[in-house]
Amino acid sequence: MGAVNKAAVGALEVITGATLFAPTGGESAVAAAAGELTGVAAPLGSGTGEVCSIFPRPGGPADEIRVVWRLSNTPPKEDTALKFTRLPMGEKAGAAHDSAFVTFPCSPKDEPLASPDHVSVWAQSRALPTEAEGDVRPLKNAYATVAHSFALALAKELDCDDNAGLKPKPSLIPES
């Protein structure tokens, strides 16, 4: 899993209980997603695709984790579902006990006056939503860390201007 940083690998351990992750397929999942996203952006201006799926060990605390991208030609709306804690990353970010997202604008470096596309990267459990019990902060932080890591890797792969403003580390302190 060359696309994610060490913090994201640790976060995946929190979510899945697994300590070993291996890529499936030859091409980088992020490079493949960037290619697909670029192909959709030009003609359609919107779309959805998968970056990768992460499968934990059988009997672990979580089922399959999916990382997906969503593309829009309009900025994100300010309404965020109640289950998400807003985080100060990108244009909009939120985390819950079973998913997180980071949305960022992407303007190509070679077209500084072009209006940006808006890319959201989601890390989410495939399980049916359940009510959270106990302190869910570690899970929220873990999902946010995974979403941020893939968003940053995708912004770099897409060659977004200034890495789309995403910092090297996730901002996990909620917005007020």
Side-chain angles (χ1 to χ4, degrees), residues 109-129:
K109 288 181 182 178
D110 57 347
E111 298 177 43
L113 299 178
S115 57
D117 288 319
H118 305 273
V119 180
S120 295
V121 175
W122 286 77
Q124 54 199 27
S125 169
R126 292 280 301 218
L128 293 174

Side-chain angles (χ1 to χ4, degrees), residues 35-98:
E36 183 181 0
L37 199 153
T38 302
V40 167
L44 302 176
S46 65
T48 304
E50 186 167 316
V51 177
C52 69
S53 291
I54 301 158
F55 299 96
R57 69 174 191 248
D63 66 342
E64 175 187 0
I65 307 302
R66 290 184 66 217
V67 180
V68 299
W69 59 264
R70 296 178 183 149
L71 174 69
S72 175
N73 54 8
T74 59
K77 293 182 172 65
E78 282 307 308
D79 62 328
T80 301
L82 293 176
K83 81 175 205 171
F84 289 101
T85 299
R86 291 283 311 262
L87 298 171
M89 295 186 279
E91 285 183 300
K92 188 174 181 180
H97 74 281
D98 60 355

Side-chain angles (χ1 to χ4, degrees), residues 85-88 171-176:
T85 299
R86 291 283 311 262
L87 298 171
S171 300
L172 302 175
I173 298 172
E175 291 181 346
S176 48

